Structure formats: structure tokens, C-alpha cells
Amino acid sequence: MTDLARTRGALQQCFDAIEDLSARMDGGDWQVQSLCPDWRARDVVTHLGMMERVMTSWLPGSATELPPFDRVDPYDQQVASLGDTAFAGRIAEIFGERRADLAALRADDLDRASWTPVGAKSYGRFLEIRVFDFWVHERDITTPLGWPTNDTGARAEIALAEVAGSLGYIVGKKIGLPDGASIVFHLTGPITRDLCVKVDGRARQVEHIENPDVTLTTDTVTFIQLACGRIDPQQQIDQGKVTWTGNNELADRAARNLRFTM
């Protein structure tokens, strides 16, 4: 079950972060190439605003009911005609409407069956995916600009949980760790954590592994960005941001194959 206060607060902080980022950017910053290959910074913010516009005043009635995606084309046409300042203002208006939606939510609304980008889940799960999307996309802009971000708190925990929840697939399918092998992802911060996966017929997370075949060490931001395919693994290895101990072949394979989404 999703915690309403935590999820509401995390999304509000996501809105705040993008509004603050938009207020800092000048004309050149809006056009910087983001970590998304086909998007500049303004395209990233356009995408974030689009999905929140689609979700404004909408609550799912069933797992098969789609959000009102017919709002996308009018939204795209509107924001494309706006200068940067007016564009940032329109995004802030949409986020303001979404803050009102969040304020009106009840705890049982999060348990509603809902369409989500990853299949039929709950509405609360959908909101957690929105937090993940915001967290990653904020860094799609700030990383190229070299600007700092707040990488702690509920937003970061939710973003990390999104990757951690897919570790069985990542280790079993993307990395291809053999049966009987084990790996620990030692995250040094800002969120410190050991994520342990053992392959026993299938790859699954476990609480603790005493002597893993591989211990791969990195920070949480690098870990999530690698899992999202945003940054080059070789560059992170060369810069010492990803290191390992244990079986060198398996560790090298793990460091280069964390990507499970883009």
C-alpha cells in the first residue's frame, strides 16, 4: 500500500524542483542537450508538463480506463508557441492544478485500480512512477549543466525503489548472472544501501549475502542513471565512479549491463 503523505510530499517536491530549475534557466540553458538523446532541456520539461496535464483532475475508474490522452495535442500546440518565460509559467500553472488534486486525494484513492505505463497497477503505484520520472528527468537536465541536485529524501528513495524492484530482471536477464552466483550492489550514498541478489533457479533479492561473487560499488545517482541508460558505463568505470571486487568477468558484465529502461 502506498503512503499518501509520503507520495504527496514527494510529488510536490518534484514540482518544486522543476519550477526552481525553470526559474534558473536562461535561453541557452533551455536548449542544452539533455541526457535523453533526442531531447533538449525544454523538451524534457515539456514532457513532464504533458503527463501532469493529462492527469489533472483525473482519477481512474478501472485498470482499463486510460487517462485523457486527448489533451496531449492541444497541450503540445499551446506550449510550442510560448517563449521560455511564458512556457515556464504554463508549466507552473499545471503543477499548481496538480497540487490541488493531490491535496484532495484520500488514502483509499491510492488503492484504485489504474492503468500505468508498466501495466495495470494501483493509482498510488502510478504516482510513484511519476516521482521516478521526475527524479530521472530533473537529472537529465542538471547533469549536462553541472548543477547540483538534492539526492536525498522521499523522492530519491522512491526513485531507487523503482530500480531495486527490477533487480531480479536486471541481474537475471540483462547481466545474465549464472545460476548459483550472487552480487551485492554497495551504494555509498547519498542513500547508503546494500542491494543483494542471488540466482537460485531465478534471480531474486535477498536480505544479506555473506560472500558474494561480486560486490559492485557506486553512488545512488550513478546507479540509477546507469539503470536508466542515461550515462556511459565505461566513462563511470574510467572515472572510478563504479568499482568492484570479486569475479572480474561477472563484475565487468554487471557494470556494463545495468540498463533496464530509457
Side-chain angles (χ1 to χ4, degrees), residues 168-187:
Y169 169 76
I170 293 170
V171 171
K173 300 298 185 182
K174 303 297 290 185
I175 298 172
L177 210 67
D179 196 36
S182 60
I183 184 169
V184 172
F185 299 94
H186 178 59
L187 305 182

Side-chain angles (χ1 to χ4, degrees), residues 18-238:
I18 297 301
E19 288 177 358
D20 292 346
L21 184 59
S22 297
R24 290 184 62 188
M25 290 194 290
D26 61 22
D29 297 328
W30 283 108
Q31 295 305 312
V32 73
Q33 175 62 53
S34 79
L35 295 184
C36 292
D38 298 326
W39 286 354
R40 298 188 183 276
R42 176 159 165 157
D43 300 320
V44 175
V45 179
T46 296
H47 163 77
L48 291 171
M50 176 275 291
M51 198 62 217
E52 295 308 308
R53 175 69 189 104
V54 165
M55 295 181 73
T56 298
S57 301
W58 174 78
L59 281 174
S62 72
T64 59
E65 177 190 318
L66 292 175
F69 286 116
D70 58 345
R71 296 175 177 177
V72 173
D73 285 346
Y75 164 84
D76 284 342
Q77 293 170 15
Q78 179 192 44
V79 299
S81 67
L82 299 177
D84 292 335
T85 300
F87 169 70
R90 178 62 184 130
I91 295 299
E93 288 176 358
I94 293 169
F95 289 171
E97 293 167 354
R98 291 292 291 135
R99 288 187 181 95
D101 288 345
L102 293 173
L105 277 182
R106 303 173 307 183
D108 58 357
D109 286 328
L110 301 188
D111 297 327
R112 289 171 175 260
S114 178
W115 175 93
T116 82
V118 295
K121 305 291 181 181
S122 69
Y123 184 62
R125 179 78 177 91
F126 196 174
L127 295 182
E128 290 178 336
I129 292 169
R130 295 302 305 136
V131 173
F132 174 70
D133 200 44
F134 268 92
W135 192 95
V136 173
H137 281 313
E138 180 187 353
R139 284 147 191 82
D140 286 342
I141 298 171
T142 57
T143 298
L145 289 172
W147 291 357
T149 51
N150 181 357
D151 301 320
T152 61
R155 290 186 301 152
E157 292 279 359
I158 291 170
L160 178 59
E162 193 71 27
V163 177
S166 298
L167 272 181
Y169 169 76
I170 293 170
V171 171
K173 300 298 185 182
K174 303 297 290 185
I175 298 172
L177 210 67
D179 196 36
S182 60
I183 184 169
V184 172
F185 299 94
H186 178 59
L187 305 182
T188 59
I191 300 173
T192 56
R193 192 152 302 161
D194 282 349
L195 301 175
C196 308
V197 180
K198 182 176 182 179
V199 183
D200 184 8
R202 65 181 181 88
R204 59 186 178 86
Q205 279 200 71
V206 295
E207 287 295 319
H208 177 71
I209 297 172
E210 188 64 35
N211 294 298
D213 293 283
V214 174
T215 298
L216 190 145
T217 299
T218 188
D219 63 271
T220 49
V221 176
T222 298
F223 180 67
I224 296 171
Q225 288 184 315
L226 284 171
C228 294
R230 290 317 209 259
I231 52 178
D232 176 33
Q234 185 61 56
Q235 187 176 48
Q236 311 316 307
I237 295 168
D238 291 344

